[in-house]
Amino acid sequence: MIKGIIFDMDGVLTDSEPLNEEVTRTVLKEKYNIIDSVILSNNFRGVRSKDQFDILKSTFNVNGTFEDYMDFKKEIHARLHNGKEFLFSDSKKVLEELKENYKLALCTSSIRPTMEKMLKKMDLNIFETIITGDLLKSGKPNPECYIKSINGLKLQPNQCVIIEDAINGVKAAKASGAYCIAVLGSFSKKELIDAGADIVINNIKDLTQDIILRLGRDK
């Protein structure tokens, strides 16, 4: 029986992927003089900042430290964000409805200060536990983030469903032992199913209790 729901943030609850990509493209161009499609590749979406920097070092042999990268990335994010609202119109309603029957957690590759600022702006004081990328040793598809989220909810993996939109996220979700519902967006239904998603929905509005009850009936 499903007792907990764990949400990824970007592309699931918020339409922030375009901003994230714009920020990284700007950082690449202005700091490293790199103009390349790597930011748009499947393996770069939903990847925490530390792993992004490792990709940049191995692919482009960039100079400097991860701290330099993050300091500049924060500057660019503040410049481009400029008070924009990215929460999908149905996200808050869905979360409030699900909160009546399930324990909710948030697991995101974003760093803690950025996430706390966004949650405050969106008035989302609804999660029992929040895991951010700076708390992790390994990024997705490693399941560390979701294992920590499950433990934070004090549940077993087969009592949880994880809501994702990216291939690496789906792989991380399934490796944790939980169920996974994937939201269409950056990847096709076939790609998400091939990655291991149990169910694929069109958008967050389709995440109803009826959909969730389809999971876990065999356990």
Side-chain angles (χ1 to χ4, degrees):
M1 180 179 179
I2 302 299
K3 297 183 178 180
I5 307 175
I6 303 167
F7 292 86
D8 178 46
M9 189 71 163
D10 296 333
V12 173
L13 297 175
T14 62
D15 187 21
S16 48
E17 286 291 2
L19 173 66
N20 293 337
E21 293 185 352
E22 185 181 2
V23 167
T24 308
R25 279 196 299 267
T26 303
V27 171
L28 291 181
K29 181 179 179 181
E30 294 188 9
K31 187 169 182 62
Y32 304 109
N33 196 30
I34 294 171
I35 301 175
D36 195 278
S37 62
V38 65
I39 180 59
L40 302 177
S41 70
N42 290 348
N43 290 334
F44 215 74
R45 287 196 180 105
V47 174
R48 65 179 186 150
S49 295
K50 179 62 170 66
D51 295 329
Q52 290 178 2
F53 185 69
D54 290 342
I55 290 172
L56 294 179
K57 285 189 74 70
S58 62
T59 304
F60 300 105
N61 195 30
V62 300
N63 295 319
T65 66
F66 171 63
E67 288 72 22
D68 295 334
Y69 172 72
M70 283 304 300
D71 286 344
F72 195 69
K73 190 174 182 181
K74 289 174 186 176
E75 290 179 20
I76 299 301
H77 188 279
R79 182 207 305 173
L80 297 178
H81 185 281
N82 196 28
K84 295 176 183 175
E85 177 61 77
F86 297 99
L87 192 69
F88 285 125
S89 60
D90 296 296
S91 293
K92 195 166 185 178
K93 179 182 178 183
V94 169
L95 289 170
E96 289 173 345
E97 291 176 350
L98 293 174
K99 180 69 173 177
E100 296 179 8
N101 297 295
Y102 302 97
K103 301 172 76 173
L104 305 185
L106 181 67
C107 183
T108 173
S109 58
S110 298
I111 60 174
R112 192 85 182 188
T114 298
M115 187 49 49
E116 288 178 347
K117 182 178 180 180
M118 288 185 67
L119 291 176
K120 183 176 181 180
K121 176 178 174 57
M122 295 182 290
D123 191 26
L124 280 184
N125 184 25
I126 203 166
F127 300 105
E128 295 194 25
T129 186
I130 298 172
I131 303 297
T132 51
D134 48 325
L135 302 177
L136 306 172
K137 294 181 180 179
S138 301
K140 303 170 187 176
N142 187 290
E144 181 188 1
C145 60
Y146 288 128
I147 292 173
K148 286 182 179 292
S149 298
I150 292 166
N151 291 339
L153 292 178
K154 297 181 172 59
L155 296 173
Q156 297 300 312
N158 64 2
Q159 294 176 309
C160 296
V161 57
I162 294 166
I163 316 302
E164 262 287 354
D165 73 311
I167 289 174
N168 280 341
V170 171
K171 290 179 178 178
K174 295 304 293 181
S176 75
Y179 294 95
C180 181
I181 295 176
V183 181
L184 285 175
S186 300
F187 300 93
S188 69
K189 181 175 182 179
K190 182 181 185 305
E191 287 175 314
L192 295 168
I193 290 292
D194 287 346
D198 297 289
I199 296 174
V200 177
I201 58 178
N202 291 322
N203 51 57
I204 194 65
K205 181 174 62 176
D206 294 333
L207 185 63
T208 63
Q209 189 167 4
D210 288 341
I211 290 289
I212 295 168
L213 288 174
R214 287 168 53 184
L215 300 168
R217 287 175 176 167
D218 59 335
K219 294 189 178 183

